[in-house]
Amino acid sequence: MIGRIWKRARRTQEAGSIVVDGARKATGGKTRTRVVMTMAVFFSIYAAIAGRLVYFGLQNPDQSGPPPSRVTAARPDIVDRNGEVLATDIKTSSLYAEPRHIVDADEAIEKLSAVLPEIDYEQTYRKLRSGAGFVWLQRQLTPKQEAEIMQLGIPGIGFRTEKRRFYPAGSTTAYIVGLTNIDNQGISGMEKYIDAQGLSDLQMSGLADPKDLKPVKLSIDLRVQHVVHDEIVTGLEKYHAIGAGAVVLSIKTGEVLAMASVPDFDPNNPYNAQDKDRLNRMSAGLYEMGSTFKSFTTAMALDSGRVSLSSTFDASRPLRVGRQTIHDFHSKGRVLSVPEVFIYSSNIGSAREALAVGIDGHREFLHRLGILEKMQTELPEVARPTEPRVWKQVNSMTIAFGHGVSTTPLQTAVGCAALMNGFLMEPTFLIRSQEEAMAVAKRVVNDKTVESMRYLYALNAEKGSGRNARVPGYRVGGKTGTAEKVVNGRYSKGKNFNAFVAAFPMDDPQYIVLTIADEPQPEKPGMGATAASNAGIMAGNIIRRSAAMLGVKPDFSHENGATLVSY
């Protein structure tokens, strides 16, 4: 009995031992699994770290300088209408330093000043002693400067390849193409316009890939631009003026084929670009345009239906209004027909034309032609015209001959183009077809007015003040404008702003050429200094040299013949 009980107890003890041993074995297996998993996680982390260390260790040590610059990202080429390059990117080296690696700042500056004498000693010293990881010392070095600095063997300095803008035409296209700053961002002209169209956003995002940037084609014809620039440079010197300018504008499309103003600057070295006299007088300068405004006054009178070419106006004596007295420069002392008012440039006759239309009609007409509105075009440098806050009769009468309002020469050219074809087209510096132009054009005068104004322009070149602008074979017409400038609130008899607006060929006008001379003097003692003596001659020279380039064929069958329009 006892034996059976002992055996049962023994079996029970053995069974418990087996259960305990199994539990211990199960617990040990789980612990080992956790250990293995933990080791695997740590191994993965350390493997990743080791891999990154190996990756960075294999990088080119020469790339330890600044990170890739976004602001010097690529810009598209700018080309003229024939594909000639006006602006392009070139590679240049810039000098930087890693102050932490500079051994002797004084010695480094002393050596650098031998190659870069213009370097600011104090500013450079502070940079080199700053302990920073990276500082710029000099941007856009010449290849010669780079080579000489490399030979100095200064530890802690290096070179970074950047992009900078190069302008093959130099000052010839300076005011149109514009400028970029040290970071290759557009700050004026068409360069600034291109940035405003989204290029700056691409640069900041690092997406300005040179392969994806198509050239920007302008309406400019570089051949004609050279002619215009050359003639106004010559005129500036010849007529001892403080400024000169010209524009060639397509009447059919509103495209600017050429435009220049002097004094100007070299965009490749624009050290004087901010000087006071460096102003694009054609679009950013405001002037009283003088008798060129008589084009608008006469067209307004004809278009109103209240005046015809056979109408007459009394110019026999000065016209008084309030305390103002209006005189004619070359008084005929008699009644004048509308064509005579135009070719004799009668202030009295023009004032009477304005009176025939009325103040409200006069103001409306000038706004209709865009003369007193801020011009809408791609070029950023555009001035806003000025006019009296309240127009009175005296204002309308003086504005009739170009005094009392100020506008830009380019707007004057655009307004005159509208008189030659009946439609106002905002000027453009980009390629535009005639169909595209007409899609946005606005009818401003009727066909009868256009025909009359063409006749008057041709007549003035034949018998009036436009004779100096005539070019054999090219049927030139136009109007002069000599305006006294306002100095200290009063008109100065010794300082004029002269202009000449020409259209050609007059049988079917294709182009407007407007030239200006700011404060010209007589070419020689005893000679005159009115617009016919300087601006008119400049316009004729530009047409003579560029007409063939513009595709205008000479025709000698009817030299400047002005056929009277009958109704």
Side-chain angles (χ1 to χ4, degrees), residues 475-488:
R475 297 90 70 201
V476 178
K479 184 73 185 76
T480 53
T482 303
E484 294 177 351
K485 294 180 69 174
V486 176
V487 179
N488 297 324

Side-chain angles (χ1 to χ4, degrees), residues 62-231:
D62 292 338
Q63 295 179 350
S64 60
S69 174
R70 293 176 180 173
V71 293
T72 56
R75 300 182 64 83
D77 285 355
I78 300 177
V79 299
D80 84 334
R81 64 189 305 112
N82 300 312
E84 294 293 331
V85 176
L86 304 178
T88 189
D89 281 345
I90 60 172
K91 291 183 178 180
T92 184
S93 289
S94 292
L95 179 67
Y96 70 88
E98 297 175 290
R100 297 171 187 171
H101 300 156
I102 296 293
V103 178
D104 188 333
D106 290 300
E107 182 183 6
I109 298 173
E110 185 177 351
K111 289 183 177 180
L112 287 174
S113 63
V115 180
L116 305 172
E118 73 280 6
I119 197 168
D120 188 312
Y121 187 96
E122 293 185 4
Q123 185 183 56
T124 305
Y125 182 81
R126 286 196 298 270
K127 287 181 178 181
L128 296 182
R129 297 287 293 174
S130 66
F134 168 85
V135 292
W136 285 117
L137 296 183
Q138 185 85 358
R139 307 283 289 277
Q140 300 182 354
L141 301 173
T142 66
K144 180 181 178 182
Q145 289 172 328
E146 180 185 10
E148 291 178 352
I149 292 173
M150 288 181 68
Q151 293 176 358
L152 297 176
I154 304 173
I157 69 169
F159 300 94
R160 166 73 190 275
T161 299
E162 294 190 289
K163 292 183 178 69
R164 65 163 293 182
R165 217 56 169 152
F166 175 64
Y167 303 94
S171 61
T172 301
T173 57
Y175 286 118
I176 296 176
V177 176
L179 278 175
T180 58
N181 61 17
I182 194 72
D183 293 320
N184 218 25
Q185 296 171 321
I187 57 174
S188 69
M190 294 302 290
E191 293 278 31
K192 185 174 181 178
Y193 167 78
I194 291 170
D195 277 18
Q197 301 310 298
L199 177 63
S200 58
D201 294 334
L202 287 176
Q203 289 179 329
M204 294 303 295
S205 63
L207 299 176
D209 189 336
K211 299 177 182 177
D212 300 328
L213 299 176
K214 296 182 179 179
V216 176
K217 181 174 285 191
L218 304 188
S219 59
I220 300 302
D221 187 323
L222 187 57
R223 303 168 303 171
V224 181
Q225 182 73 20
H226 274 298
V227 169
V228 167
H229 187 263
D230 182 58
E231 286 297 333

Side-chain angles (χ1 to χ4, degrees), residues 448-461:
K448 188 176 180 181
T449 301
V450 169
E451 189 177 3
S452 297
M453 292 308 300
R454 290 181 180 182
Y455 161 71
L456 292 175
Y457 265 42
L459 182 67
N460 193 50

Side-chain angles (χ1 to χ4, degrees), residues 6-82:
W6 182 87
K7 288 180 180 179
R8 191 178 296 116
R10 181 68 179 170
R11 285 197 295 270
T12 302
Q13 183 180 9
E14 289 177 352
S17 297
I18 292 172
V19 171
V20 172
D21 288 343
R24 287 175 178 172
K25 289 180 180 180
T27 302
K30 290 181 180 179
T31 302
R32 284 193 296 272
T33 300
R34 291 192 186 100
V35 171
V36 171
M37 290 179 65
T38 302
M39 291 177 62
V41 170
F42 278 101
F43 177 79
S44 299
I45 293 172
Y46 284 112
I49 294 173
R52 296 298 290 175
L53 290 173
V54 171
Y55 171 79
F56 287 122
L58 294 175
Q59 296 304 296
N60 190 339
D62 292 338
Q63 295 179 350
S64 60
S69 174
R70 293 176 180 173
V71 293
T72 56
R75 300 182 64 83
D77 285 355
I78 300 177
V79 299
D80 84 334
R81 64 189 305 112
N82 300 312

Side-chain angles (χ1 to χ4, degrees), residues 235-497:
L236 184 75
E237 299 174 357
K238 185 176 181 180
Y239 306 117
H240 318 288
I242 66 170
V247 61
V248 178
L249 180 75
S250 169
I251 294 174
K252 304 295 186 181
T253 67
E255 293 172 296
V256 176
L257 277 298
M259 188 179 77
S261 175
V262 288
D264 51 21
F265 60 91
D266 182 356
N268 296 306
N269 184 27
Y271 69 94
N272 59 349
Q274 297 300 319
D275 288 359
K276 187 177 180 180
D277 62 342
R278 263 60 179 183
L279 168 72
N280 182 2
R281 286 171 163 81
M282 301 307 294
S283 67
L286 290 176
Y287 306 97
E288 293 187 349
M289 295 298 297
S291 292
T292 56
F293 252 51
K294 291 171 183 173
S295 299
F296 307 129
T297 305
T298 301
M300 171 189 68
L302 293 170
D303 203 63
S304 71
R306 300 174 186 178
V307 175
S308 69
L309 287 179
S310 59
S311 299
T312 58
F313 294 95
D314 185 4
S316 60
R317 61 180 63 87
L319 185 60
R320 291 180 176 84
V321 52
R323 291 181 294 177
Q324 303 285 339
T325 303
I326 298 173
H327 300 270
D328 278 347
F329 187 67
H330 294 295
S331 177
K332 298 299 177 180
R334 61 179 175 83
V335 173
L336 301 176
S337 66
V338 168
E340 288 176 325
V341 168
F342 195 79
I343 66 173
Y344 298 144
S345 200
S346 171
N347 293 339
I348 299 171
S350 297
R352 291 193 180 279
E353 287 177 341
L355 288 174
V357 174
I359 297 172
D360 292 339
H362 192 180
R363 185 174 185 274
E364 185 277 329
F365 186 81
L366 293 181
H367 277 277
R368 190 197 314 171
L369 264 65
I371 303 301
L372 300 180
E373 305 285 349
K374 185 175 182 182
M375 185 166 50
Q376 301 300 312
T377 189
E378 300 85 11
L379 208 65
E381 295 78 26
V382 173
R384 183 182 293 278
T386 63
E387 61 176 310
R389 182 172 297 178
V390 178
W391 280 47
K392 299 180 180 179
Q393 187 179 70
V394 66
N395 300 124
S396 179
M397 294 171 71
T398 58
I399 291 169
F401 50 88
H403 286 279
V405 295
S406 296
T407 190
T408 69
L410 179 56
Q411 281 175 271
T412 305
V414 171
C416 290
L419 302 183
M420 293 295 105
N421 75 346
F423 294 90
L424 177 65
M425 301 174 185
E426 294 286 2
T428 182
F429 291 84
L430 300 175
I431 294 291
R432 184 164 69 189
S433 68
Q434 188 169 343
E435 291 74 19
E436 292 170 334
M438 289 305 297
V440 296
K442 181 176 67 173
R443 166 72 78 169
V444 287
V445 293
N446 60 49
D447 290 337
K448 188 176 180 181
T449 301
V450 169
E451 189 177 3
S452 297
M453 292 308 300
R454 290 181 180 182
Y455 161 71
L456 292 175
Y457 265 42
L459 182 67
N460 193 50
E462 181 184 1
K463 299 181 178 180
S465 59
R467 284 171 289 190
N468 285 345
R470 288 185 298 180
V471 180
Y474 290 107
R475 297 90 70 201
V476 178
K479 184 73 185 76
T480 53
T482 303
E484 294 177 351
K485 294 180 69 174
V486 176
V487 179
N488 297 324
R490 300 178 66 87
Y491 286 104
S492 172
K493 293 188 178 297
K495 295 183 177 182
N496 292 338
F497 183 84

